[in-house]
Amino acid sequence: MTGINRWLSGTAIASALAVTAGSAGAVELEVMHWWTSGSEAGAVQEFANAFNDRTDNTWVDGAIAGGGDVARPVMVSRILGGDPPGAFQFNHGRQAEELIEAGLMLDLTDVAEEQGWADVINPPSLLDACTYEGRIYCAPVNIHSWQWMWLNDATFEEAGVEVPTNWESFTETAPALREAGIVPLAVGGQPWQQNGAFGVMALALAGEEAWLAVNQDKDAEVARGEDYARAFQAFGEAREMADGVSVQDWNQATNAVIQGEAAAQIMGDWAQGEFAMADMVAGEDYECLPGLGDIAILDAGGDAFYFPQQSDPEVEAAQKELAALLLDPEVQVAFNSVKGSLPVRGDVDLGSVNECTQKGLQLLADGNVVPSGTALLSPDTTNSLNDLMTEFWNTPSMTPEDVQEQYAQIIEQAD
Ligand code: GAL
């Protein structure tokens, strides 16, 4: 029995509390998410404004600090404890699979049909990720990809070296950066950041075929093999290059790059929102390397909103209004422009976008896309990998060979 099933078997699910305010049709809808960095909070405010301005309802913000790994268990326990929020954010993919199977999520198929989601959502895999047994249970809101490295130009200039264009040339700049008192790589302390950075390195350095064999086919022999060994060796070097920046949150690590304390960060394109807030210009003040500059590829990950079943029809109506609004063309542009993500609608235009977003759009248009890790691996597998990679990160005596074997063992057990 895995995660949620284990909880479900021991939990009585009380009927949902209806939170209806004074007048009929005006619902105070609590929306839970983990968007707490400056740019994330700015982006989610666009959703809140649209909901408050364009419906009779009120957005009650339920932000949870500490990232998705902290937020998701809180959301799940609220749902299983009989006090579900009106809506909540998860990543696209398999995170809500057990909640849907347990019948706890509102079926949004009528909204999706009315709004023609099947005709506009691009790539269609994002709608597929919301679909279970032919019914639609979530509203995807953006496309984010993990596959990026962000570099502060000024740090390389200060160190007297060229701004690197791929992983290898980046590693060659490390001694000069150190000499100049700059930490080459900023990595936050939360396990998902270390495992996430490794996933990017594995795709870039072991290659697409090996990455898909491990993540999609759960082929443990490939995880044990030579191609992956290269990625684990590089991750060992990354551990050394990251020594000196000691922060927890991803945006604190981004901030270390923005401030020039560190030179680079491997992080999803939500980091762009922070560079934009700091008024840094892509291609001038900072550079972005999709696939670490080694492979032209993105993963189509991102965020979706789910709506727990409620007993009050007015709450349900408000939930459906919000679901429709999240994919409204104007709301998509307003939200994604601040967030650093791409719209999920193929028919909206972000207007003039910077060099990094252009690179991302081009890769998507060329179909250079793999599914996201959260779509391929179960939350249990991801948690085990997070634990392992953070153990490696914090245990200097643990070798790349040690971690590779343990990683392969997790993949062997993965579903
Ligand atoms: C991801 C999410 C992004 C971003 C990031 C850091 O899981 O998809 O939208 O917010 O976490 O908080």
Side-chain angles (χ1 to χ4, degrees):
M1 213 190 298
T2 54
I4 287 168
N5 286 333
R6 216 170 17 238
W7 270 318
L8 275 174
S9 62
T11 321
I13 302 162
S15 75
L17 284 182
V19 189
T20 341
S23 68
V27 171
E28 292 187 1
L29 200 72
E30 185 191 3
V31 186
M32 294 177 90
H33 57 85
W34 61 84
W35 286 328
T36 56
S37 81
S39 59
E40 289 174 328
V44 76
Q45 191 59 43
E46 295 291 341
F47 284 153
N49 291 347
F51 191 60
N52 292 336
D53 295 349
R54 290 168 58 174
T55 77
D56 292 335
N57 309 302
T58 307
W59 173 288
V60 178
D61 200 69
I64 299 179
D69 287 345
V70 172
R72 284 188 297 274
V74 177
M75 296 165 179
V76 170
S77 69
R78 283 278 305 274
I79 296 163
L80 300 184
D83 178 25
F88 65 95
Q89 169 210 2
F90 262 16
N91 293 117
H92 300 309
R94 300 183 56 185
Q95 287 169 352
E97 162 176 283
E98 292 177 338
L99 290 170
I100 298 170
E101 276 166 19
L104 295 167
M105 294 298 106
L106 180 64
D107 183 336
L108 301 172
T109 311
D110 53 346
V111 181
E113 282 172 359
E114 222 173 82
Q115 303 287 324
W117 287 359
D119 301 326
V120 293
I121 291 180
N122 183 52
S125 59
L126 298 184
L127 190 56
D128 296 345
C130 287
T131 309
Y132 176 74
E133 294 184 343
R135 313 295 298 173
I136 293 167
Y137 290 93
C138 66
V141 296
N142 61 8
I143 305 167
H144 262 315
S145 175
W146 248 110
Q147 313 304 321
W148 297 88
M149 178 149 80
W150 309 92
L151 309 107
N152 178 340
D153 287 84
T155 58
F156 296 96
E157 208 173 295
E158 205 180 316
V161 288
E162 295 276 305
V163 180
T165 52
N166 64 12
W167 178 256
E168 201 190 328
S169 59
F170 171 63
T171 59
E172 286 163 4
T173 65
L177 290 165
R178 285 285 187 202
E179 190 80 5
I182 298 161
V183 178
L185 194 65
V187 179
Q190 292 156 349
W192 68 272
Q193 296 179 55
Q194 292 140 12
N195 186 34
F198 176 72
V200 176
M201 295 174 73
L203 182 53
L205 305 175
E208 181 181 357
E209 207 181 305
W211 188 89
L212 282 172
V214 170
N215 290 279
Q216 188 161 273
D217 308 335
K218 324 289 187 294
D219 187 332
E221 285 322 301
V222 175
R224 282 198 176 90
E226 260 174 48
D227 293 334
Y228 255 63
R230 252 198 316 277
F232 283 106
Q233 288 298 336
F235 195 57
E237 290 165 33
R239 181 172 63 179
E240 281 167 33
M241 286 193 279
D243 191 22
V245 168
S246 179
V247 294
Q248 283 300 308
D249 295 340
W250 68 269
N251 53 304
Q252 294 175 309
T254 310
N255 196 47
V257 176
I258 289 172
Q259 299 301 329
E261 190 191 327
Q265 181 185 24
I266 297 173
M267 184 47 64
D269 48 8
W270 45 89
Q272 270 236 93
E274 301 296 301
F275 285 102
M277 278 218 339
D279 285 330
M280 287 176 78
V281 178
E284 282 176 28
D285 303 320
Y286 73 97
E287 309 297 325
C288 52
L289 297 178
L292 302 183
D294 286 291
I295 181 172
I297 212 151
L298 294 186
D299 69 84
D303 304 287
F305 279 84
Y306 291 81
F307 300 82
Q309 295 252 23
Q310 306 268 353
S311 47
D312 183 337
E314 282 183 9
V315 175
E316 186 175 313
Q319 290 174 310
K320 290 186 172 175
E321 276 185 279
L322 177 57
L325 207 52
L326 294 173
L327 275 105
D328 172 272
E330 266 176 41
V331 175
Q332 275 286 300
V333 171
F335 167 79
N336 286 298
S337 306
V338 183
K339 187 72 171 64
S341 44
L342 302 174
V344 286
R345 297 182 66 118
D347 61 346
V348 299
D349 187 353
L350 280 181
S352 59
V353 294
N354 73 24
E355 195 179 295
C356 295
T357 307
Q358 271 172 35
K359 284 188 197 175
L361 283 168
Q362 192 58 50
L363 289 169
L364 275 186
D366 294 346
N368 286 353
V369 177
V370 290
S372 68
T374 44
L376 297 175
L377 300 173
S378 71
D380 285 350
T381 300
T382 303
N383 288 339
S384 303
L385 293 176
N386 286 349
D387 290 348
L388 173 65
M389 299 318 272
T390 205
E391 186 191 344
F392 173 75
W393 198 255
N394 293 303
T395 315
S397 62
M398 197 168 168
T399 66
E401 290 75 20
D402 296 335
V403 71
Q404 182 170 9
E405 176 50 31
Q406 292 184 44
Y407 196 99
Q409 285 171 16
I410 294 172
I411 293 301
E412 218 153 43
Q413 304 295 320
D415 56 1

